[in-house]
Amino acid sequence: LILHQPLTLRRRKLEMRVSVLAVAGHEVATLDAEPSWTLDNVLMRIQKPKAASSLRLRIFHGELELLSSVSLASIGVTDGSQLTLVKIAAWSVLTASADRTARIWSADSGACLRTFVGHGDIINSAIFTPDSTLVVTASRDKTAKIWCVRSGNCLHTLSGHRKSLYVAEVSSDGTLVITTSADTYAMIWSITSGEFRQTLVGHRDSVFSAMFSPDAKLALTGAQD
């Protein structure tokens, strides 16, 4: 006589009880997981449906990370194992467009997270400050603008160039902006106040690029001359 176990019982034998803990140590969830589960399977069960978040979630078992291409079993997770949930800032992409807007996009979902509206012509460049709290744009409308990422508001408009701007670059300490223009000049500005600091004169044609030295004491420019 051969007895066949019900499918539900056989399935339960393949499952393992796994705890998911936050970095602080408190329990986030307890899952009846299958060894073949990947990161997507776990996140699907611990995230709230349709919850919008500016954070990216990572799962670790010890020093090994659970990825979309990696299973729980392959990183050594067994019945009774504990996983650690780590929350970090989500990866974002910043774009500048001929439609006079700049946009921030989620690198994970492709969703548009923020649109910056206010320039009067094509935006030629856009860049985050090092702490990602601000965005600086340079436009063909002869201005650069400093924007708050969280609110989308324009904090400062940098006016002084006489022709189209090509790029804006930010110093590594996030305190200064350098802009380049078809007017043959590069200009340096304060990010905090938006105040003009200095004009770099010497090129005889359009200045297309610029960058600060690591200590922001020097600036390098490149021009059509």
Side-chain angles (χ1 to χ4, degrees):
L1 179 64
I2 299 177
L3 298 177
H4 294 280
Q5 289 181 317
L7 179 60
T8 53
L9 292 179
R10 295 203 303 272
R11 177 180 291 275
R12 284 172 185 165
K13 285 188 176 182
L14 294 175
E15 291 178 344
M16 50 192 181
R17 181 61 60 89
V18 176
S19 299
V20 181
L21 307 179
V23 174
H26 64 272
E27 186 174 279
V28 175
T30 299
L31 306 174
D32 289 321
E34 296 181 13
S36 60
W37 279 11
T38 65
L39 175 66
D40 297 331
N41 299 118
V42 175
L43 293 182
M44 186 185 304
R45 288 160 176 82
I46 66 175
Q47 285 181 303
K48 295 180 180 179
K50 299 182 180 179
S53 175
S54 59
L55 298 176
R56 181 167 175 262
L57 305 183
R58 300 173 69 181
I59 301 287
F60 291 86
H61 180 231
E63 296 181 354
L64 299 178
E65 183 173 4
L66 180 64
L67 304 172
S68 296
S69 59
V70 173
S71 69
L72 289 172
S74 66
I75 61 171
V77 176
T78 58
D79 187 49
S81 291
Q82 292 183 339
L83 302 176
T84 302
L85 173 66
V86 178
K87 298 181 180 181
I88 61 174
W91 288 337
S92 300
V93 176
L94 177 63
T95 58
S97 174
D99 67 4
R100 306 180 183 183
T101 70
R103 296 174 187 262
I104 297 176
W105 310 80
S106 167
D108 294 324
S109 68
C112 179
L113 305 177
R114 179 74 64 203
T115 301
F116 303 103
V117 180
H119 277 294
D121 209 331
I122 292 170
I123 299 178
N124 287 323
S125 76
I127 187 172
F128 284 109
T129 54
D131 61 4
S132 298
T133 61
L134 302 174
V135 162
V136 184
T137 53
S139 171
R140 205 161 70 175
D141 67 6
K142 306 177 187 177
T143 72
K145 291 181 182 288
I146 299 172
W147 310 81
C148 173
V149 168
R150 176 169 294 184
S151 67
N153 294 332
C154 178
L155 303 179
H156 305 290
T157 296
L158 312 182
S159 300
H161 284 288
R162 294 179 293 180
K163 292 185 179 181
S164 172
L165 270 65
Y166 290 115
V167 299
E169 292 289 341
V170 179
S171 61
S172 59
D173 61 3
T175 62
L176 298 173
V177 176
I178 186 169
T179 54
T180 69
S181 171
D183 63 9
T184 75
Y185 303 131
M187 292 186 174
I188 297 176
W189 316 77
S190 164
I191 283 186
T192 304
S193 66
E195 293 179 352
F196 166 76
R197 291 289 182 85
Q198 188 174 1
T199 299
L200 307 182
V201 182
H203 286 294
R204 297 185 302 275
D205 210 330
S206 298
V207 183
F208 288 117
S209 65
M211 64 183 297
F212 286 105
S213 60
D215 61 3
K217 292 182 178 180
L218 299 174
L220 175 67
T221 56
Q224 193 167 321
D225 61 9

